[in-house]
Amino acid sequence: MLFGKVIGSVWATQKEEGMDNLKLMVVQPIDFKGREAGQPVIAVDRIGAGVGERVIVSRGSPARTLFSGRNVPIDAMIVGIVDSFDVEDDSGLEEE
Amino acid sequence: MLFGKVIGSVWATQKEEGMDNLKLMVVQPIDFKGREAGQPVIAVDRIGAGVGERVIVSRGSPARTLFSGRNVPIDAMIVGIVDSFDVEDDSGLEEE
Amino acid sequence: MLFGKVIGSVWATQKEEGMDNLKLMVVQPIDFKGREAGQPVIAVDRIGAGVGERVIVSRGSPARTLFSGRNVPIDAMIVGIVDSFDVEDDSGLEEE
Amino acid sequence: MLFGKVIGSVWATQKEEGMDNLKLMVVQPIDFKGREAGQPVIAVDRIGAGVGERVIVSRGSPARTLFSGRNVPIDAMIVGIVDSFDVEDDSGLEEE
Amino acid sequence: MLFGKVIGSVWATQKEEGMDNLKLMVVQPIDFKGREAGQPVIAVDRIGAGVGERVIVSRGSPARTLFSGRNVPIDAMIVGIVDSFDVEDDSGLEEE
């Protein structure tokens, strides 16, 4: 999964089947020092992630397993809001 | 999902099974400042996205779930036309 | 899907189950100005794509849906031979 | 699969269905000379990988096959702890 | 599929279910001029690929289709050993 920061949201009126009632957030992948790490991803949120929160995003078909009874054509989902992390680094230990 | 701008379309007469009657659009991934963010993607469109519109593209097997009764060998689909977005940025808030 | 140009072919005698009788082409991803856009991909061809032709390649599990009755361990397939495209660009309109 | 080094862990209280009781480790992809090779990945661990250990990470839907009876929306899993490797290089043979 | 050169192997004693008795090779993606093209991949080999051989690697869930009766959490597999290729290039024709 990727680590990222929620930086906003997106609205679409005209959409494909299965896309109704999904909250679409924009997540900027970051590294554990907070630096940007690649392009933003649009991910579905069902757990109440807010702008500024750090989240875990799952991509590809795993993102869709939670909608098993429906055809939901999404490829990215916020699966956790990060409370804390403990990541070691060559230059020592970053903690939060 | 990726955020992009529709920049054109592609036609193919000779094609694989399952590719008939699909409208193939060219989508340039962009960031939320409108800058190019990677190489163009060819995505199927069934919701009427036009050149110049900003869209949400789903990739991989999720793109195919909408054709569940048929074998459609596609890996990218336009799943929403973006009306607006609200994305925060280190340098403030961009709104549209 | 990716846009590319067929630049050659590859032969393998020793191969996995399900790989028999597949024509393996080398496709160089290109942008719509003809510039290289990433590393070559080896893709299965069943529609007669020849060297020099521009093609559409589908990757991942969608590439395998056409072999639904068999276990074919491929992750890229040529799904269309491009007749023409019409792609707009910041500097105007490229047509072909 | 990717080769990486476990550099930490992440905690999330608020999470999606199927994410309970999963140990989430941070894995830094590295090459066989120990150099960083891309952005860190958050991967599920069930085999006791510790910080500093070199591991093999499987991504995408394969990562989820081990939870076949449940809907677990993950896209990366630690599938092995590396004891040793033997990798040749243009400049000779690196062994460990 | 990707084109690569086998550069070594990896051993893991502690591993996930379904990973037993798999030969794990390290494959360096290369282009058709033999230049490195991205980071090494760990791929399962069942067809006897040796160090120095050029191979075709399939990634993602297709890699797993050959183990259809078992849950094997792999995302890359060597599906062919390359005998020869014929790849054209702007500067002429490379043959082997």
Side-chain angles (χ1 to χ4, degrees), chain B residues 29-70:
Chain B
I30 55 175
D31 66 17
F32 289 86
K33 290 173 177 154
R35 293 176 302 206
E36 295 191 2
Q39 296 299 331
V41 169
I42 300 174
V44 172
D45 173 48
R46 303 195 310 180
I47 58 175
V51 169
E53 283 188 299
R54 283 162 313 178
V55 294
I56 301 169
V57 174
S58 193
R59 285 175 295 180
S61 58
R64 181 176 92 231
T65 58
L66 299 169
F67 300 93
S68 48
R70 294 164 52 198

Side-chain angles (χ1 to χ4, degrees), chain B residues 1-94:
Chain B
M1 285 74 73
L2 73 79
F3 183 65
K5 194 171 98 172
V6 180
I7 60 167
S9 44
V10 169
W11 292 272
T13 304
Q14 199 144 348
K15 42 190 183 252
E16 264 291 350
E17 293 168 31
M19 294 296 291
D20 292 318
N21 304 316
L22 296 178
K23 194 173 138 212
L24 300 173
M25 305 305 283
V26 181
V27 178
Q28 170 63 56
I30 55 175
D31 66 17
F32 289 86
K33 290 173 177 154
R35 293 176 302 206
E36 295 191 2
Q39 296 299 331
V41 169
I42 300 174
V44 172
D45 173 48
R46 303 195 310 180
I47 58 175
V51 169
E53 283 188 299
R54 283 162 313 178
V55 294
I56 301 169
V57 174
S58 193
R59 285 175 295 180
S61 58
R64 181 176 92 231
T65 58
L66 299 169
F67 300 93
S68 48
R70 294 164 52 198
N71 281 336
V72 177
I74 65 167
D75 68 4
M77 186 144 192
I78 294 176
V79 297
I81 300 176
V82 173
D83 297 315
S84 64
F85 60 84
D86 184 350
V87 169
E88 194 176 319
D89 159 44
D90 290 344
S91 57
L93 194 74
E94 286 176 70

Side-chain angles (χ1 to χ4, degrees), chain C residues 3-82:
Chain C
F3 182 65
K5 193 172 99 172
V6 179
I7 59 168
S9 45
V10 169
W11 292 272
T13 304
Q14 199 144 348
K15 43 191 183 250
E16 264 291 348
E17 292 169 31
M19 294 296 290
D20 293 318
N21 304 316
L22 297 178
K23 195 174 137 211
L24 299 173
M25 305 305 282
V26 180
V27 179
Q28 170 63 54
I30 55 175
D31 66 16
F32 289 86
K33 290 173 177 154
R35 293 175 301 205
E36 294 191 1
Q39 296 299 331
V41 169
I42 299 174
V44 172
D45 172 48
R46 302 196 310 180
I47 58 176
V51 169
E53 283 187 300
R54 282 162 314 179
V55 295
I56 300 169
V57 174
S58 192
R59 286 175 294 180
S61 58
R64 184 177 90 231
T65 59
L66 299 169
F67 300 93
S68 48
R70 294 163 53 197
N71 282 334
V72 178
I74 65 168
D75 67 6
M77 186 143 191
I78 294 176
V79 297
I81 300 176
V82 173

